[in-house]
Amino acid sequence: MKAYWIAALFTAPLAHAHITVAPASAPAGAYQTLVFKVGHGCDGSATTGITVSLPDGVTAKPMPKPGWTINLVDGKLAAPLRMHGKTITSAVREITWRGGPLPDAYYDEFTLQARLPDAPGRYVFKVGQQCGNVRVDWAADAASKTPAPVLDVVPADMAMPLHHH
């Protein structure tokens, strides 16, 4: 039986995720710190920008990062959201950090605070990685060489407080 598991590990497709999101799952309706981990540059070049596109139902604000500037792009929401007793129809849809540079030999993390959707599901965060004049789009499915980071939003535990800031 042990040999079967070892063989399964070596024959299973390897994940090519080089930009990941942590945690991998979080409760529906929660405020959650999301950390996007950049594991390397682009073909040896230093990373000079990271753009995170927020999926429908997710709102967020970025954490400042020394040596990096932040640009926010607002947009219309697919469906209005109720937040803090107000209905909102537009919010930040894209967050870009520019600066660094982050050499290929190092990794770094880019953090945001997100309000997660009330509906459980798999939420895809498309990420663009800029390395000088080269851009890599981490927006494909999991079988690709450039998969997008995915957050599994799970049903909220009724005992868990839903409002964390």
Side-chain angles (χ1 to χ4, degrees):
M1 188 65 149
K2 191 176 199 180
Y4 169 79
W5 285 107
I6 292 171
L9 284 173
F10 287 109
T11 59
L14 296 175
H16 295 285
H18 300 283
I19 294 186
T20 59
V21 64
S25 65
Y31 283 86
Q32 180 69 52
T33 298
L34 299 178
V35 179
F36 291 85
K37 298 179 180 188
V38 178
H40 59 74
C42 313
D43 291 327
S45 296
T47 299
T48 56
I50 294 293
T51 299
V52 176
S53 296
L54 302 176
D56 286 335
V58 176
T59 60
K61 59 172 78 173
M63 185 168 85
K65 187 168 195 50
W68 297 78
T69 60
I70 298 173
N71 184 51
L72 306 176
V73 175
D74 287 342
K76 186 171 173 56
L77 298 173
L81 296 174
R82 291 284 295 166
M83 291 180 62
H84 302 288
K86 297 178 184 176
T87 300
I88 61 168
T89 58
S90 67
V92 172
R93 304 312 315 134
E94 190 176 272
I95 300 167
T96 300
W97 289 266
R98 291 197 192 290
L102 171 61
D104 182 55
Y106 301 112
Y107 89 97
D108 205 345
E109 301 176 338
F110 296 80
T111 305
L112 56 86
Q113 180 188 35
R115 167 62 165 76
L116 301 179
D118 293 328
R122 292 177 57 82
Y123 290 84
V124 176
F125 291 81
K126 295 179 179 180
V127 176
Q129 180 180 14
Q130 194 72 38
C131 300
N133 293 330
V134 175
R135 179 180 166 104
V136 176
D137 289 310
W138 301 92
D141 64 33
S144 166
K145 290 184 179 181
T146 57
V150 176
L151 175 69
D152 287 316
V153 175
V154 297
D157 179 356
M158 296 311 289
M160 173 186 264
L162 293 180
H163 194 84
H164 294 293
H165 285 287

